[in-house]
Amino acid sequence: MEDSSILFKKPSYPINQALSDYLERYDRVSKVPISYDDLLRFSGSINVYDKNDQDTLWIRVYYNEFESAEIDLTLKKIYSLLLSDGNLGILKFLNVDSIDYCTFGNSKPFRIKVRNILNDNYTHFYIKKADASRVYGLELEHILSPDKINFLVYKDTLIEEHIMGIPGDVFIKTLLSNCTETEKAQIAKEFVKFNERCMIRLLGDMRSYNYVVVPTHDFDQVVYKIRAIDFDQQCYEGNFKIYRPQFFKENYPMVKLVKDKLQDSSIDQYKDEERSVLAKRIHSAENKIKRLLQIMSDDNIAPKENQMKLQMELYRYTNDMNFKNAKSMGYIMKAAFEFIIRNFKKVNY
């Protein structure tokens, strides 16, 4: 397996007016003022360790008493807007237990833990610098993936809900070997579908720590799903392999599982199934996707050299002239969706 690598840190791209209007149209704009930069004004911090006393590379931050009450109230309002449609009646039952700051990665997010004081149930959400690439990725995930996702934008600040699951790297290291042979075959199937979904919608950098494995207990088995949790590399890299999780060395145990558990005919079948499902989702949300892709086509979300490299690699992969003639990353995305729908209709109509 040839490894893929990302050579340079991706820059953050601003949200333009057209994308901002789209977000307003579909209720993605926060009615509560919130600023990522305000959260950076913490007065102290301590390292956060996991249950095995390993440094998590998160720090728990604190604010002076003059700002703490206002920040807590704002965060509780954000929680209500994100998860309860802005019902302020629940604020008296909420407590902000912790605010953690991540010291690595592109987005350097804040992780907010909000607890319901009546029953001690708690939920996390994240606050980051808004980046157009990530917003496009989140919206496409919401429309095209099997799972919906909540997020809000306020000016240059992005609020994301927490996606629950077992981090892929943790699952591979500690749990995969204990799965039954039937479960391993099912996980292999899901990885094939996840790989295909990421490739078609050009979601890059799906190394094992950028997705989660979600086990669901059925009455006589455990069913596993794979969900992306990082959308920073939506339509940015020029190397086509970056959009195919199978080419990252961190995913080798999953790739080996596919080779060991699935025949080539089964792999082809699961790829066709995922393409068929994606084509149906694209078709069912046609107007919304057209609007989003038009905005994306006019936006600058990648260096020109990345765009030109990717469109030629996709042209060689598909022999579709629409890729060769694409004028931006958004046009490449549009060509990819048209390719899937066109081939889906040939088979199904």
Side-chain angles (χ1 to χ4, degrees):
M1 181 181 66
E2 183 181 347
D3 183 37
S4 296
S5 59
I6 296 173
L7 300 179
F8 304 104
K9 182 177 178 180
K10 176 191 166 294
S12 180
Y13 290 90
I15 294 175
N16 65 23
Q17 188 58 52
L19 180 55
S20 181
D21 292 343
Y22 173 94
L23 295 171
E24 183 81 44
R25 166 70 178 79
Y26 291 103
D27 295 324
R28 293 295 196 183
V29 175
S30 172
K31 300 178 181 66
V32 179
I34 182 73
S35 171
Y36 175 89
D37 289 339
D38 286 345
L39 294 181
L40 286 173
R41 298 203 302 266
F42 49 86
S43 57
S45 66
I46 59 172
N47 292 340
V48 177
Y49 296 90
D50 64 18
K51 61 183 180 181
N52 298 317
D53 288 328
Q54 298 295 311
D55 191 346
T56 62
L57 302 182
W58 290 79
I59 58 174
R60 187 145 297 163
V61 301
Y62 302 95
Y63 300 86
N64 65 52
E65 59 180 312
F66 304 106
E67 293 186 310
S68 183
E70 182 180 353
I71 289 173
D72 277 17
L73 178 60
T74 298
L75 293 176
K76 287 189 282 188
K77 287 180 178 179
I78 289 292
Y79 169 93
S80 171
L81 191 61
L82 188 66
L83 298 170
S84 187
D85 202 28
N87 177 15
L88 299 183
I90 68 171
L91 296 188
K92 58 182 176 290
F93 304 123
L94 303 178
N95 187 71
V96 178
D97 276 10
S98 62
I99 303 174
D100 298 337
Y101 177 60
C102 182
T103 56
F104 68 98
N106 270 346
S107 59
K108 294 189 175 176
F110 285 92
R111 180 177 62 196
I112 317 300
K113 179 181 178 182
V114 178
R115 178 172 55 89
N116 186 311
I117 62 177
L118 297 179
N119 51 38
D120 280 340
N121 286 329
Y122 62 86
T123 303
H124 292 95
F125 63 90
Y126 300 88
I127 295 177
K128 308 172 181 180
K129 270 286 188 183
D131 170 39
S133 301
R134 188 180 295 274
V135 171
Y136 287 123
L138 285 164
E139 186 67 4
L140 288 169
E141 176 75 4
H142 180 76
I143 297 170
L144 298 176
S145 83
D147 305 283
K148 302 304 179 185
I149 187 167
N150 289 326
F151 71 93
L152 295 168
V153 173
Y154 183 80
K155 295 183 178 178
D156 64 348
T157 298
L158 174 65
I159 304 117
E160 290 181 32
E161 72 170 350
H162 173 66
I163 298 175
M164 291 185 290
I166 304 166
D169 55 339
V170 174
F171 182 85
I172 289 170
K173 183 178 179 180
T174 64
L175 298 173
L176 182 58
S177 61
N178 296 325
C179 292
T180 66
E181 296 308 307
T182 301
E183 288 171 344
K184 288 178 180 178
Q186 197 259 333
I187 293 167
K189 168 188 171 183
E190 287 304 311
F191 187 78
V192 169
K193 291 192 169 191
F194 178 69
N195 187 81
E196 195 71 9
R197 190 159 64 246
C198 292
M199 180 189 71
I200 291 169
R201 54 161 290 195
L202 298 179
L203 177 61
D205 195 19
M206 281 300 110
R207 285 173 278 192
S208 56
Y209 48 78
N210 284 333
Y211 61 80
V212 292
V213 179
V214 185
T216 302
H217 291 263
D218 202 355
F219 65 93
D220 63 349
Q221 64 176 330
V222 179
V223 178
Y224 294 89
K225 300 292 183 182
I226 300 176
R227 291 189 66 182
I229 59 172
D230 193 327
F231 305 92
D232 181 68
Q233 291 282 340
Q234 176 68 53
C235 295
Y236 175 76
E237 293 288 341
N239 183 355
F240 183 39
K241 289 181 179 178
I242 297 296
Y243 303 102
R244 305 172 73 184
Q246 70 190 76
F247 288 109
F248 288 104
K249 65 179 185 294
E250 293 86 350
N251 293 330
Y252 177 71
M254 290 292 207
V255 176
K256 186 175 186 302
L257 201 64
V258 171
K259 291 180 177 178
D260 291 345
K261 293 296 178 182
L262 303 179
Q263 297 180 3
D264 289 346
S265 58
S266 294
I267 294 172
D268 291 339
Q269 174 196 337
Y270 298 141
K271 287 181 178 180
D272 287 343
E273 287 179 5
E274 191 61 28
R275 290 175 183 177
S276 174
V277 169
L278 276 172
K280 289 176 181 176
R281 289 180 185 139
I282 293 168
H283 185 70
S284 66
E286 185 175 7
N287 291 335
K288 191 174 185 180
I289 287 179
K290 276 185 177 179
R291 185 190 297 243
L292 183 65
L293 292 185
Q294 186 56 55
I295 296 168
M296 200 175 179
S297 297
D298 296 333
D299 204 352
N300 174 34
I301 54 173
K304 191 66 176 178
E305 56 269 26
N306 287 15
Q307 173 221 312
M308 294 175 68
K309 184 175 189 293
L310 180 61
Q311 69 185 93
M312 292 310 298
E313 288 194 16
L314 284 168
Y315 169 67
R316 288 191 290 268
Y317 185 74
T318 63
N319 290 319
D320 188 331
M321 285 296 294
N322 288 332
F323 289 110
K324 191 173 183 178
N325 296 330
K327 300 175 182 178
S328 69
M329 282 294 191
Y331 279 108
I332 294 175
M333 189 81 268
K334 188 183 295 186
F337 287 175
E338 289 174 353
F339 180 85
I340 290 299
I341 291 176
R342 187 165 60 249
N343 284 277
F344 166 75
K345 285 185 176 180
K346 283 182 182 178
V347 174
N348 292 276
Y349 293 96

PDB file of all heavy atoms in Angstrom, residues 145-165:
ATOM      1  N   SER A 145     -24.227  12.128   3.782  1.00  0.00           N
ATOM      2  CA  SER A 145     -23.837  10.973   4.595  1.00  0.00           C
ATOM      3  C   SER A 145     -25.069  10.329   5.217  1.00  0.00           C
ATOM      4  O   SER A 145     -26.161  10.918   5.209  1.00  0.00           O
ATOM      5  CB  SER A 145     -22.864  11.394   5.697  1.00  0.00           C
ATOM      6  OG  SER A 145     -23.574  11.908   6.806  1.00  0.00           O
ATOM      7  N   PRO A 146     -24.926   9.130   5.789  1.00  0.00           N
ATOM      8  CA  PRO A 146     -26.069   8.489   6.451  1.00  0.00           C
ATOM      9  C   PRO A 146     -26.498   9.232   7.714  1.00  0.00           C
ATOM     10  O   PRO A 146     -27.575   8.976   8.242  1.00  0.00           O
ATOM     11  CB  PRO A 146     -25.524   7.093   6.813  1.00  0.00           C
ATOM     12  CG  PRO A 146     -24.316   6.903   5.963  1.00  0.00           C
ATOM     13  CD  PRO A 146     -23.744   8.250   5.728  1.00  0.00           C
ATOM     14  N   ASP A 147     -25.661  10.131   8.228  1.00  0.00           N
ATOM     15  CA  ASP A 147     -25.933  10.808   9.494  1.00  0.00           C
ATOM     16  C   ASP A 147     -26.036  12.317   9.294  1.00  0.00           C
ATOM     17  O   ASP A 147     -25.296  12.905   8.511  1.00  0.00           O
ATOM     18  CB  ASP A 147     -24.818  10.514  10.501  1.00  0.00           C
ATOM     19  CG  ASP A 147     -24.588   9.032  10.704  1.00  0.00           C
ATOM     20  OD1 ASP A 147     -25.397   8.408  11.410  1.00  0.00           O
ATOM     21  OD2 ASP A 147     -23.612   8.503  10.148  1.00  0.00           O
ATOM     22  N   LYS A 148     -26.933  12.943  10.033  1.00  0.00           N
ATOM     23  CA  LYS A 148     -27.066  14.394  10.012  1.00  0.00           C
ATOM     24  C   LYS A 148     -26.092  14.998  11.027  1.00  0.00           C
ATOM     25  O   LYS A 148     -25.669  14.340  11.964  1.00  0.00           O
ATOM     26  CB  LYS A 148     -28.500  14.820  10.330  1.00  0.00           C
ATOM     27  CG  LYS A 148     -29.542  14.236   9.378  1.00  0.00           C
ATOM     28  CD  LYS A 148     -29.229  14.579   7.923  1.00  0.00           C
ATOM     29  CE  LYS A 148     -30.243  13.992   6.974  1.00  0.00           C
ATOM     30  NZ  LYS A 148     -29.883  14.224   5.559  1.00  0.00           N
ATOM     31  N   ILE A 149     -25.777  16.259  10.806  1.00  0.00           N
ATOM     32  CA  ILE A 149     -24.823  16.908  11.699  1.00  0.00           C
ATOM     33  C   ILE A 149     -25.254  18.347  11.931  1.00  0.00           C
ATOM     34  O   ILE A 149     -25.708  19.034  11.006  1.00  0.00           O
ATOM     35  CB  ILE A 149     -23.391  16.841  11.118  1.00  0.00           C
ATOM     36  CG1 ILE A 149     -22.370  17.372  12.114  1.00  0.00           C
ATOM     37  CG2 ILE A 149     -23.274  17.568   9.789  1.00  0.00           C
ATOM     38  CD1 ILE A 149     -20.945  17.054  11.737  1.00  0.00           C
ATOM     39  N   ASN A 150     -25.145  18.807  13.176  1.00  0.00           N
ATOM     40  CA  ASN A 150     -25.512  20.170  13.527  1.00  0.00           C
ATOM     41  C   ASN A 150     -24.271  21.052  13.606  1.00  0.00           C
ATOM     42  O   ASN A 150     -23.262  20.667  14.200  1.00  0.00           O
ATOM     43  CB  ASN A 150     -26.220  20.209  14.891  1.00  0.00           C
ATOM     44  CG  ASN A 150     -27.609  19.622  14.839  1.00  0.00           C
ATOM     45  OD1 ASN A 150     -28.307  19.752  13.841  1.00  0.00           O
ATOM     46  ND2 ASN A 150     -28.016  18.973  15.913  1.00  0.00           N
ATOM     47  N   PHE A 151     -24.363  22.237  13.019  1.00  0.00           N
ATOM     48  CA  PHE A 151     -23.316  23.231  13.185  1.00  0.00           C
ATOM     49  C   PHE A 151     -23.917  24.609  12.969  1.00  0.00           C
ATOM     50  O   PHE A 151     -24.967  24.767  12.343  1.00  0.00           O
ATOM     51  CB  PHE A 151     -22.147  22.987  12.219  1.00  0.00           C
ATOM     52  CG  PHE A 151     -22.455  23.272  10.772  1.00  0.00           C
ATOM     53  CD1 PHE A 151     -22.190  24.518  10.211  1.00  0.00           C
ATOM     54  CD2 PHE A 151     -22.999  22.291   9.960  1.00  0.00           C
ATOM     55  CE1 PHE A 151     -22.473  24.770   8.877  1.00  0.00           C
ATOM     56  CE2 PHE A 151     -23.290  22.552   8.621  1.00  0.00           C
ATOM     57  CZ  PHE A 151     -23.022  23.790   8.082  1.00  0.00           C
ATOM     58  N   LEU A 152     -23.249  25.620  13.523  1.00  0.00           N
ATOM     59  CA  LEU A 152     -23.683  27.000  13.400  1.00  0.00           C
ATOM     60  C   LEU A 152     -22.474  27.877  13.107  1.00  0.00           C
ATOM     61  O   LEU A 152     -21.340  27.529  13.474  1.00  0.00           O
ATOM     62  CB  LEU A 152     -24.355  27.488  14.688  1.00  0.00           C
ATOM     63  CG  LEU A 152     -25.665  26.816  15.099  1.00  0.00           C
ATOM     64  CD1 LEU A 152     -26.033  27.202  16.524  1.00  0.00           C
ATOM     65  CD2 LEU A 152     -26.791  27.193  14.145  1.00  0.00           C
ATOM     66  N   VAL A 153     -22.720  28.999  12.473  1.00  0.00           N
ATOM     67  CA  VAL A 153     -21.652  29.956  12.174  1.00  0.00           C
ATOM     68  C   VAL A 153     -22.070  31.319  12.688  1.00  0.00           C
ATOM     69  O   VAL A 153     -23.237  31.720  12.536  1.00  0.00           O
ATOM     70  CB  VAL A 153     -21.382  30.018  10.650  1.00  0.00           C
ATOM     71  CG1 VAL A 153     -20.387  31.139  10.331  1.00  0.00           C
ATOM     72  CG2 VAL A 153     -20.853  28.688  10.143  1.00  0.00           C
ATOM     73  N   TYR A 154     -21.139  32.030  13.325  1.00  0.00           N
ATOM     74  CA  TYR A 154     -21.365  33.422  13.682  1.00  0.00           C
ATOM     75  C   TYR A 154     -20.134  34.217  13.250  1.00  0.00           C
ATOM     76  O   TYR A 154     -19.064  34.102  13.853  1.00  0.00           O
ATOM     77  CB  TYR A 154     -21.612  33.592  15.182  1.00  0.00           C
ATOM     78  CG  TYR A 154     -21.917  35.028  15.554  1.00  0.00           C
ATOM     79  CD1 TYR A 154     -23.193  35.554  15.361  1.00  0.00           C
ATOM     80  CD2 TYR A 154     -20.924  35.863  16.065  1.00  0.00           C
ATOM     81  CE1 TYR A 154     -23.479  36.871  15.679  1.00  0.00           C
ATOM     82  CE2 TYR A 154     -21.200  37.186  16.375  1.00  0.00           C
ATOM     83  CZ  TYR A 154     -22.484  37.690  16.183  1.00  0.00           C
ATOM     84  OH  TYR A 154     -22.750  39.005  16.479  1.00  0.00           O
ATOM     85  N   LYS A 155     -20.289  34.971  12.179  1.00  0.00           N
ATOM     86  CA  LYS A 155     -19.184  35.752  11.606  1.00  0.00           C
ATOM     87  C   LYS A 155     -18.001  34.835  11.325  1.00  0.00           C
ATOM     88  O   LYS A 155     -18.080  33.956  10.482  1.00  0.00           O
ATOM     89  CB  LYS A 155     -18.832  36.930  12.515  1.00  0.00           C
ATOM     90  CG  LYS A 155     -19.964  37.954  12.620  1.00  0.00           C
ATOM     91  CD  LYS A 155     -19.576  39.151  13.470  1.00  0.00           C
ATOM     92  CE  LYS A 155     -20.709  40.166  13.510  1.00  0.00           C
ATOM     93  NZ  LYS A 155     -20.391  41.338  14.362  1.00  0.00           N
ATOM     94  N   ASP A 156     -16.882  34.991  12.052  1.00  0.00           N
ATOM     95  CA  ASP A 156     -15.700  34.168  11.784  1.00  0.00           C
ATOM     96  C   ASP A 156     -15.539  33.040  12.789  1.00  0.00           C
ATOM     97  O   ASP A 156     -14.441  32.529  12.999  1.00  0.00           O
ATOM     98  CB  ASP A 156     -14.433  35.034  11.768  1.00  0.00           C
ATOM     99  CG  ASP A 156     -14.147  35.683  13.116  1.00  0.00           C
ATOM    100  OD1 ASP A 156     -15.040  35.651  13.995  1.00  0.00           O
ATOM    101  OD2 ASP A 156     -13.035  36.220  13.297  1.00  0.00           O
ATOM    102  N   THR A 157     -16.648  32.648  13.416  1.00  0.00           N
ATOM    103  CA  THR A 157     -16.617  31.588  14.432  1.00  0.00           C
ATOM    104  C   THR A 157     -17.542  30.448  14.026  1.00  0.00           C
ATOM    105  O   THR A 157     -18.662  30.678  13.560  1.00  0.00           O
ATOM    106  CB  THR A 157     -17.031  32.151  15.804  1.00  0.00           C
ATOM    107  OG1 THR A 157     -16.105  33.159  16.200  1.00  0.00           O
ATOM    108  CG2 THR A 157     -17.065  31.056  16.865  1.00  0.00           C
ATOM    109  N   LEU A 158     -17.072  29.215  14.201  1.00  0.00           N
ATOM    110  CA  LEU A 158     -17.819  28.009  13.837  1.00  0.00           C
ATOM    111  C   LEU A 158     -18.110  27.190  15.081  1.00  0.00           C
ATOM    112  O   LEU A 158     -17.218  26.971  15.914  1.00  0.00           O
ATOM    113  CB  LEU A 158     -17.005  27.178  12.840  1.00  0.00           C
ATOM    114  CG  LEU A 158     -17.546  25.804  12.444  1.00  0.00           C
ATOM    115  CD1 LEU A 158     -18.858  25.934  11.677  1.00  0.00           C
ATOM    116  CD2 LEU A 158     -16.516  25.051  11.600  1.00  0.00           C
ATOM    117  N   ILE A 159     -19.355  26.756  15.226  1.00  0.00           N
ATOM    118  CA  ILE A 159     -19.761  25.890  16.346  1.00  0.00           C
ATOM    119  C   ILE A 159     -20.179  24.548  15.772  1.00  0.00           C
ATOM    120  O   ILE A 159     -21.054  24.489  14.894  1.00  0.00           O
ATOM    121  CB  ILE A 159     -20.932  26.504  17.132  1.00  0.00           C
ATOM    122  CG1 ILE A 159     -20.577  27.913  17.624  1.00  0.00           C
ATOM    123  CG2 ILE A 159     -21.318  25.614  18.299  1.00  0.00           C
ATOM    124  CD1 ILE A 159     -21.436  28.989  17.043  1.00  0.00           C
ATOM    125  N   GLU A 160     -19.575  23.472  16.243  1.00  0.00           N
ATOM    126  CA  GLU A 160     -19.880  22.117  15.758  1.00  0.00           C
ATOM    127  C   GLU A 160     -20.333  21.237  16.903  1.00  0.00           C
ATOM    128  O   GLU A 160     -19.747  21.274  17.992  1.00  0.00           O
ATOM    129  CB  GLU A 160     -18.639  21.453  15.138  1.00  0.00           C
ATOM    130  CG  GLU A 160     -18.170  22.008  13.827  1.00  0.00           C
ATOM    131  CD  GLU A 160     -16.958  21.230  13.319  1.00  0.00           C
ATOM    132  OE1 GLU A 160     -16.866  20.005  13.595  1.00  0.00           O
ATOM    133  OE2 GLU A 160     -16.098  21.845  12.677  1.00  0.00           O
ATOM    134  N   GLU A 161     -21.339  20.420  16.641  1.00  0.00           N
ATOM    135  CA  GLU A 161     -21.713  19.427  17.641  1.00  0.00           C
ATOM    136  C   GLU A 161     -20.650  18.330  17.706  1.00  0.00           C
ATOM    137  O   GLU A 161     -19.900  18.103  16.755  1.00  0.00           O
ATOM    138  CB  GLU A 161     -23.068  18.808  17.306  1.00  0.00           C
ATOM    139  CG  GLU A 161     -23.060  17.856  16.124  1.00  0.00           C
ATOM    140  CD  GLU A 161     -24.370  17.093  15.980  1.00  0.00           C
ATOM    141  OE1 GLU A 161     -25.205  17.150  16.895  1.00  0.00           O
ATOM    142  OE2 GLU A 161     -24.544  16.441  14.943  1.00  0.00           O
ATOM    143  N   HIS A 162     -20.588  17.655  18.831  1.00  0.00           N
ATOM    144  CA  HIS A 162     -19.675  16.521  18.998  1.00  0.00           C
ATOM    145  C   HIS A 162     -20.246  15.297  18.294  1.00  0.00           C
ATOM    146  O   HIS A 162     -21.440  15.001  18.413  1.00  0.00           O
ATOM    147  CB  HIS A 162     -19.499  16.230  20.491  1.00  0.00           C
ATOM    148  CG  HIS A 162     -18.711  14.995  20.775  1.00  0.00           C
ATOM    149  ND1 HIS A 162     -17.381  14.872  20.464  1.00  0.00           N
ATOM    150  CD2 HIS A 162     -19.077  13.806  21.332  1.00  0.00           C
ATOM    151  CE1 HIS A 162     -16.959  13.685  20.826  1.00  0.00           C
ATOM    152  NE2 HIS A 162     -17.970  13.013  21.340  1.00  0.00           N
ATOM    153  N   ILE A 163     -19.406  14.621  17.531  1.00  0.00           N
ATOM    154  CA  ILE A 163     -19.812  13.379  16.856  1.00  0.00           C
ATOM    155  C   ILE A 163     -19.341  12.211  17.708  1.00  0.00           C
ATOM    156  O   ILE A 163     -18.137  12.000  17.894  1.00  0.00           O
ATOM    157  CB  ILE A 163     -19.215  13.302  15.438  1.00  0.00           C
ATOM    158  CG1 ILE A 163     -19.750  14.459  14.588  1.00  0.00           C
ATOM    159  CG2 ILE A 163     -19.550  11.968  14.785  1.00  0.00           C
ATOM    160  CD1 ILE A 163     -19.127  14.545  13.213  1.00  0.00           C
ATOM    161  N   MET A 164     -20.285  11.480  18.246  1.00  0.00           N
ATOM    162  CA  MET A 164     -19.952  10.401  19.174  1.00  0.00           C
ATOM    163  C   MET A 164     -19.426   9.168  18.444  1.00  0.00           C
ATOM    164  O   MET A 164     -19.874   8.860  17.329  1.00  0.00           O
ATOM    165  CB  MET A 164     -21.165  10.044  20.026  1.00  0.00           C
ATOM    166  CG  MET A 164     -21.563  11.122  21.014  1.00  0.00           C
ATOM    167  SD  MET A 164     -22.897  10.625  22.104  1.00  0.00           S
ATOM    168  CE  MET A 164     -24.271  10.591  20.948  1.00  0.00           C
ATOM    169  N   GLY A 165     -18.525   8.486  19.075  1.00  0.00           N
ATOM    170  CA  GLY A 165     -17.960   7.263  18.526  1.00  0.00           C
ATOM    171  C   GLY A 165     -16.586   7.006  19.108  1.00  0.00           C
ATOM    172  O   GLY A 165     -16.048   7.807  19.880  1.00  0.00           O
TER     173      GLY A 165
END
